[in-house]
Amino acid sequence: MGPLARYFLGLGATGFGGPIALVGYMQRDLVERRRWFSQQEYVEGLAFSQLAPGPLAAQLAIYLGWSRGGTWGATVAGLAFVLPSFVMVLILSELYQRYEGLAWLQRAFYGIGAAVIAIVARSAVKLCRLSLKQDRLLWLIFAVNAAVVVATRSEILTVFFASGVAVLVLRRGLRSVPAASCLGLPLPFATNAVSPAGGSLLWQILLFFAQAGAVVFGSGLAIVPFLYGGAVEGHGWLTERQFLDAVAVSMITPGPVVITVAFIGYLVAGLSGATVAAVGVFLPVYLVVVIAAPVFSRYAKNPRVIGFVEGVTAAATGAIAGAVIILAQRAITDLTTGLIALATLGLTFQFRKVPDPAVIAAAGAAGLLLG
């Protein structure tokens, strides 16, 4: 486990590019170069990570650790992968909270916010190509969820899971509906994206982010609309400007995108809030691997499971698109931010190898000059 832990520490500290890039790095490094895992082991881990709830890259890292060392291996791999980006986010959170009032920092994030909208929009387009393809039913699910998010300004999880059931029923018939209860999905989470108001603040943070970690499928960006609905619209922990800045922080740091939850937690309740938020969002991912991985092979190719996950993935993609529309209304406020967003979108599509942190740094510089 020592070499594997060192590898994931390095990947968590230097792995930019989002979940698809991180998954690609793992295949290149662990399968092709070091040959620590066979191609079959990797493919099985990737399939599990796509089918199970949880951010893709973190799920795969934990699964690979589990395949080598059981529960202890999953623990080591997960901590090693998340820890570097968590520490970086803590540092950025402290600097942001201390200097947020400075005019130059506000101007920088004025440009960064517009660039973040473009990057998330690009990711939504990529997810559409990968998960929806030419399937009309999935495109319909996508459109419905995007419209719901725009209309309600939150991700309603009953609609989210109903999307999976709808695909299951329309493709497999009504008799397949009882199978949805056997998917191991957390039914208590099938509520609106707001934690109960009672209890201590840290308990609210833990419960809310545990809900978030339990409903993310595929890209970690799928968590964005859920977080917006709870942290901004529901609890009022963050302003819309702060939420955009939180998403930006996740883009400029390596490792899993969902580490943005630590930034949110820090703004709400300091170091304790950041720690509780990170534990909350990754704990469901960890438990899914430890509990479900041993029985994964029995259900991985079950058409009912695959159909349900396809519907949920389409719903998550639609929710991301809806969140882009909502956040764009706040980030793109004038001609300058509009031009920054368009330039970012064109640049990232034309030059796909340009890393997101470099694009965001350029947008921040543009904000300083033009804001």
Side-chain angles (χ1 to χ4, degrees):
M1 291 306 303
L4 195 62
R6 288 192 292 272
Y7 170 77
F8 280 117
L9 277 172
L11 183 63
T14 61
F16 289 98
I20 302 301
L22 291 171
V23 164
Y25 297 149
M26 292 183 210
Q27 180 178 25
R28 179 196 66 188
D29 298 335
L30 299 178
V31 178
E32 297 174 4
R33 293 183 178 177
R34 307 189 187 193
R35 301 184 184 278
W36 290 353
F37 296 88
S38 67
Q39 182 66 25
Q40 181 62 29
E41 288 176 313
Y42 175 84
V43 168
E44 288 179 359
L46 184 59
F48 176 87
S49 304
Q50 291 172 322
L51 287 172
L56 181 63
Q59 190 83 270
L60 180 57
I62 294 172
Y63 181 94
L64 292 175
W66 172 85
S67 70
R68 279 294 174 269
T71 301
W72 171 242
T75 305
V76 170
L79 288 175
F81 184 52
V82 172
L83 188 60
S85 56
F86 177 73
V87 172
M88 293 180 198
V89 167
L90 288 183
I91 296 171
L92 290 173
S93 301
E94 173 61 24
L95 293 173
Y96 178 87
Q97 197 169 53
R98 183 173 298 183
Y99 300 112
E100 184 182 5
L102 295 179
W104 69 267
L105 186 62
Q106 292 177 355
R107 292 201 307 272
F109 274 96
Y110 164 82
I112 289 172
V116 166
I117 293 300
I119 291 173
V120 177
R122 178 207 62 190
S123 298
V125 171
K126 286 185 176 179
L127 286 172
C128 288
R129 291 174 177 172
L130 289 172
S131 59
L132 307 183
K133 300 177 182 177
Q134 304 298 320
D135 193 311
R136 293 182 181 180
L137 175 59
L138 296 183
W139 277 103
L140 177 61
I141 296 293
F142 166 89
V144 168
N145 279 268
V148 167
V149 169
V150 172
T152 64
R153 302 180 69 82
S154 65
E155 183 179 5
I156 301 176
L157 298 187
T158 49
V159 178
F160 192 81
F161 285 109
S163 300
V165 175
V167 173
L168 185 61
V169 170
L170 291 173
R171 289 190 173 164
R172 305 296 301 176
L174 286 173
R175 293 183 179 180
S176 64
V177 174
S181 63
C182 302
L183 294 176
L185 294 171
L187 295 181
F189 297 123
T191 58
N192 203 347
V194 180
S195 304
S200 69
L201 178 60
L202 290 180
W203 174 250
Q204 290 181 50
I205 293 172
L206 178 65
L207 181 58
F208 172 69
F209 287 108
Q211 291 177 347
V215 299
V216 178
F217 279 82
S219 171
L221 287 173
I223 204 173
V224 169
F226 187 97
L227 296 182
Y228 178 86
V232 179
E233 294 289 332
H235 290 291
W237 288 333
L238 270 63
T239 66
E240 291 182 335
R241 177 76 262 171
Q242 289 174 321
F243 183 80
L244 270 173
D245 296 343
V247 178
V249 166
S250 72
M251 299 288 185
I252 63 176
T253 52
V257 172
V258 293
I259 202 61
T260 188
V261 302
F263 183 89
I264 297 173
Y266 193 93
L267 295 187
V268 177
L271 178 60
S272 298
T275 304
V276 168
V279 170
V281 82
F282 286 109
L283 184 59
V285 182
Y286 171 81
L287 291 177
V288 164
V289 173
V290 172
I291 296 172
V295 296
F296 165 66
S297 58
R298 301 181 194 174
Y299 303 103
K301 297 180 181 179
N302 187 313
R304 294 174 177 177
V305 175
I306 293 173
F308 183 87
V309 171
E310 284 180 347
V312 172
T313 302
T317 307
I320 294 173
V324 169
I325 295 172
I326 294 174
L327 295 175
Q329 294 172 351
R330 297 294 180 267
I332 303 175
T333 56
D334 51 27
L335 179 61
T336 301
T337 49
L339 290 175
I340 291 174
L342 286 174
T344 302
L345 199 60
L347 182 66
T348 54
F349 273 111
Q350 186 67 28
F351 304 100
R352 298 180 181 179
K353 293 185 178 181
V354 177
D356 289 345
V359 174
I360 290 176
L368 284 172
L369 294 173
L370 305 173

